Amino acid sequence: MKQGVIVVNHGTADYDVRQRTIDDFVLSIGDRLETADIVSVYTNGEVRRQLRENTGEKFQNLKAAILSMKDRGITNLVVVSTDVHDGPEYRKLMDETVSLATLFQEVNISKPLIYSDEDYEVTARALHGAFSEMVGDDILILVTTGDKEYGVEELDGFEKSIQKHFENSHLATLHGERKLYKAIKKLQQAGITSGRVVLVPLEFMAGEKVENEVSQEYTVLAERLEEEGYTVDKAFKGMAEYDAMQRLYMRHLYDAIR
């Protein structure tokens, strides 16, 4: 058996963030699967173009990486998702991988961070490990891309799991039925019209120069909270920068190859 691992991510041209997230995750996988052939691929074509033109780095898309694994003699392939939930990007990853699965003896695909009911409580505990000291008794707002159309179909269940660990916590989305103004309205209805909010992007990686939607909207969301009278602590880092959260992605990898 010759093991291959492909880590799939949207990608970023921000080298510092990349080192702390994708590159660190790949190194962690290598520490545990010492003989595996491990590569990372970026799904965003514009990011791949920028890196090629600016640094000379050539990142493949998923299909090209799978074919390269076959050429290098890989027999057992695992494709690792860094998605937060079961949205369009994950379903595309699934489709592309399954279409080429017959090239290998065995192909497995890891699940996103939040995929099943079981993931809600496990992820909530990991969030507590990552943010309990930072949040204390104040307000925690997690923001992700969206709800049903974008992947997470049971946000109520996930939010309830989070609230077991952070009483004053809300899950907000850029799209769908849980936009930030609704979280603000709930706080105000509960008589919490001011105070400290820790605003956390629920993304594998995040930062001012990171090319994903939550990162691009993060500053606007923080300003909206400040306009409503809250003090915002900007926890502007992705999930992969917290050991407790990165371990969950590793857990999904282990589950995929058992």
Side-chain angles (χ1 to χ4, degrees):
M1 181 189 81
K2 189 173 180 182
Q3 179 76 64
V5 179
I6 300 175
V7 178
V8 184
N9 190 268
H10 177 277
T12 182
D14 187 320
Y15 182 74
D16 291 335
V17 171
R18 185 181 99 188
Q19 278 195 310
R20 298 195 302 266
T21 54
I22 303 169
D23 293 352
D24 186 64
F25 185 46
V26 169
L27 287 172
S28 296
I29 296 171
D31 287 342
R32 292 159 177 79
L33 303 177
E34 295 180 356
T35 62
D37 184 343
I38 308 169
V39 300
S40 57
V41 304
Y42 291 173
T43 59
N44 186 296
E46 178 60 23
V47 169
R48 296 197 304 271
R49 184 193 64 78
Q50 287 184 35
L51 290 171
R52 187 171 60 251
E53 293 179 356
N54 297 337
T55 69
E57 296 174 286
K58 296 181 180 178
F59 281 84
Q60 294 178 310
N61 60 31
L62 177 56
K63 182 177 180 179
I66 292 173
L67 294 174
S68 293
M69 284 284 185
K70 175 62 177 176
D71 290 341
R72 295 201 294 276
I74 296 300
T75 58
N76 291 53
L77 178 66
V78 58
V79 176
V80 180
S81 166
T82 58
D83 292 300
V84 169
H85 50 67
D86 178 16
E89 291 299 317
Y90 182 67
R91 291 192 285 272
K92 183 178 179 181
L93 177 157
M94 289 276 292
D95 291 343
E96 290 186 357
T97 303
V98 169
S99 71
L100 296 170
T102 57
L103 297 175
F104 305 91
Q105 292 178 15
E106 183 177 342
V107 173
N108 294 293
I109 304 170
S110 75
K111 299 294 192 297
L113 185 67
I114 305 163
Y115 189 80
S116 65
D117 291 352
E118 179 186 358
D119 293 328
Y120 296 161
E121 180 56 34
V122 173
T123 305
R125 288 199 300 267
L127 287 167
H128 183 260
F131 296 104
S132 59
E133 185 174 340
M134 184 187 307
V135 176
D137 294 326
D138 293 322
I139 304 161
L140 171 67
I141 295 181
L142 297 153
V143 59
T144 186
T145 50
D147 53 11
K148 293 182 180 180
E149 180 183 353
Y150 287 82
V152 180
E153 297 185 356
E154 299 295 339
L155 289 179
D156 284 345
F158 183 42
E159 185 177 72
K160 287 176 182 176
S161 293
I162 299 169
Q163 288 171 344
K164 293 177 186 177
H165 302 274
F166 300 98
E167 181 179 358
N168 294 319
S169 60
H170 295 276
L171 183 60
T173 60
L174 298 182
H175 308 284
E177 298 300 320
R178 284 180 166 268
K179 291 184 180 179
L180 181 63
Y181 78 88
K182 292 192 174 181
I184 293 172
K185 186 175 181 180
K186 288 180 181 179
L187 288 170
Q188 293 172 340
Q189 288 174 340
I192 305 172
T193 57
S194 63
R196 175 175 171 266
V197 173
V198 178
L199 183 64
V200 176
L202 193 60
E203 294 285 333
F204 183 82
M205 63 179 177
E208 292 181 4
K209 299 178 182 178
V210 172
E211 303 85 345
N212 62 41
E213 195 173 7
V214 172
S215 290
Q216 292 166 354
E217 294 294 327
Y218 183 88
T219 300
V220 174
L221 299 174
E223 289 173 351
R224 174 67 189 275
L225 285 162
E226 290 167 346
E227 288 170 358
E228 293 291 335
Y230 300 95
T231 301
V232 181
D233 269 8
K234 302 175 179 66
F236 202 3
K237 299 192 297 186
M239 295 292 100
E241 296 195 47
Y242 302 94
D243 289 342
M245 303 307 296
Q246 192 177 121
R247 284 196 293 270
L248 288 188
Y249 282 98
M250 290 298 302
R251 172 180 171 172
H252 282 299
L253 168 58
Y254 291 144
D255 288 344
I257 59 180
R258 280 175 185 162

